[in-house]
Amino acid sequence: MMTHRAALEVLAQVRGEQIVVTTMGSVAIWPQMSDSPLDFHYLPSSMGQAVPLGLGLCFARPGRGVIVLTGDGGLLMNLGCLVTAAQFPVPLYIVLIDNGLYEVTGGQAVANASRTDFAALARAAGIGRVYACATSEEWAAVAPEAVTGSGPVFVHLKVQGEIGKPTPSAPRPMADQIARLRSALGA
């Protein structure tokens, strides 16, 4: 099984000029691989809002691809976002980092961990392009295709969970991140 870091290393190689929205555990890893003004580290007070934020960015900047790195716990808190995203032909690439844990809040098991078929949920929601990978090799083989072209796209990456990880901090205050992203997008 791949690690969270290995999954993001593959993405860093193929990311292109898309906006990358990270949340929860990915906030601790992605800044070590990328410091683009198009990176936005979203640590809200409630989980489950990264995909809607990414969808909003797709509407705000038509044609600009948005990759959202979300966790299984966060996605479970807002499964309806898949149905909402599926109805719009936008370049939204949802990359689910599934470790079976609420990793940054103490390592509690996610409800129905390892039994929920997230790829099937995405297909049932109406997302036409769905990928599921359990190894770095599988992910590396499909990543260039998965984060380009028409969307929305859903990528389910099964990764090893780690208990005892601290809640990450964004590398910059939210106001600075917003200003940086707005400037990069010419807003």
Side-chain angles (χ1 to χ4, degrees):
M1 188 180 300
M2 78 181 110
T3 64
H4 192 157
R5 176 173 298 284
L8 297 189
E9 286 171 348
V10 169
L11 179 62
Q13 294 175 11
V14 299
R15 154 300 160 91
E17 292 298 315
Q18 296 102 325
I19 298 167
V20 174
V21 176
T22 64
T23 188
M24 306 315 276
S26 294
V27 171
I29 302 169
W30 187 253
Q32 298 168 26
M33 296 172 200
S34 176
D35 188 29
S36 168
L38 297 173
D39 294 336
F40 190 78
H41 307 289
Y42 188 57
L43 283 169
S45 59
S46 63
M47 294 168 63
Q49 300 306 313
V51 174
L53 173 62
L55 182 60
L57 288 166
C58 285
F59 292 146
R61 289 293 181 256
R64 168 73 75 167
V66 180
I67 299 169
V68 175
L69 296 167
T70 189
D72 47 336
L75 185 61
L76 284 173
M77 292 185 177
N78 191 2
L79 278 175
C81 70
L82 296 178
V83 175
T84 302
Q87 65 184 322
F88 300 103
V90 295
L92 176 65
Y93 311 98
I94 303 164
V95 179
L96 175 66
I97 305 295
D98 176 4
N99 60 16
L101 301 171
Y102 289 105
E103 196 171 76
V104 300
T105 63
Q108 307 87 347
V110 170
N112 218 17
S114 299
R115 293 180 30 210
T116 300
D117 186 340
F118 287 103
L121 287 171
R123 282 186 203 95
I127 295 177
R129 291 178 50 210
V130 177
Y131 302 84
C133 305
T135 68
S136 297
E137 294 78 21
E138 290 172 346
W139 174 218
V142 301
E145 173 186 316
V147 297
T148 58
S150 62
V153 174
F154 184 87
V155 179
H156 177 217
L157 302 178
K158 188 64 180 158
V159 303
Q160 295 172 345
E162 297 178 48
I163 295 177
K165 289 180 72 174
T167 301
S169 298
R172 292 174 184 79
M174 187 62 69
D176 293 351
Q177 289 191 79
I178 292 169
R180 188 175 187 227
L181 181 59
R182 288 179 59 118
S183 178
L185 296 175

